């Protein structure tokens, strides 16, 4: 009987470990957030900005106060991918986790590096 429970606990722990998206380096996942809006635009560089209904609790004061995170780049591929994921989540009314690093821009908030769409 003890052996059965030991195996059961080990399986449950392994399922939980595989369900978590890993953090690497200075990147960390925050959320869950409900997207209020997602914007894709160009003003000198390609940008995507996500606005949240909830107030984030991150090291970036601008992100917390403005309830937003952004990604900017001279290339558009990753910007488009982030926007696509965010628009998909918003259209399906799904919450998201967002990955940011330690960079905090005075205008654009936390620098966004990932969007994870959560199931219901």
């Amino acid at each position: 009987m003890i052996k059965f429970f030991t195996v059961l606990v080990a399986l449950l722990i392994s399922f939980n470990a595989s369900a978590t998206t890993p953090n690497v380096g200075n990147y960390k996942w925050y959320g869950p957030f409900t997207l209020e809006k997602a914007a894709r635009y160009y003003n000198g560089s390609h940008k995507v900005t996500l606005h949240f209904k909830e107030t984030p609790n991150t090291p970036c004061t601008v992100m917390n106060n403005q309830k937003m995170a952004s990604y900017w780049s001279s290339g558009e591929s990753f910007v488009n991918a982030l926007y696509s994921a965010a628009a998909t989540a918003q259209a399906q009314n799904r919450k998201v986790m967002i990955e940011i690093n330690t960079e905090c821009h005075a205008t654009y908030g936390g620098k966004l590096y990932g969007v994870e769409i959560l199931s219901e």
Side-chain angles (χ1 to χ4, degrees):
M1 189 66 150
I2 292 174
K3 197 180 240 184
F4 170 76
F5 284 114
T6 304
V7 170
L8 182 61
V9 169
L11 282 172
L12 290 174
I13 290 170
S14 70
F15 285 137
N16 188 36
S18 66
T20 303
T21 305
N23 290 325
V24 179
N26 291 328
Y27 300 87
K28 186 174 178 187
W29 290 95
Y30 292 91
F33 298 114
T34 306
L35 291 175
E36 190 167 65
K37 64 181 175 177
R40 165 66 173 98
Y41 53 105
Y42 181 88
N43 61 0
S45 65
H46 297 277
K47 292 181 180 67
V48 61
T49 299
L50 307 182
H51 296 262
F52 316 111
K53 290 183 181 177
E54 300 83 5
T55 302
N57 183 15
T58 71
C60 180
T61 304
V62 175
M63 181 176 170
N64 300 340
N65 292 341
Q66 299 297 319
K67 298 182 182 181
M68 70 176 197
S70 304
Y71 182 79
W72 53 93
S73 174
S74 59
E76 60 185 291
S77 294
F78 190 60
V79 172
N80 289 340
L82 288 171
Y83 179 72
S84 178
T88 299
Q90 188 177 25
Q92 295 178 4
N93 200 29
R94 298 285 179 100
K95 291 193 180 256
V96 297
M97 297 292 289
I98 55 132
E99 184 183 39
I100 63 168
N101 70 357
T102 55
E103 192 171 350
C104 183
H105 191 278
T107 302
Y108 302 112
K111 190 149 187 190
L112 181 67
Y113 282 91
V115 174
E116 180 179 51
I117 302 171
L118 302 176
S119 59
E120 294 183 59

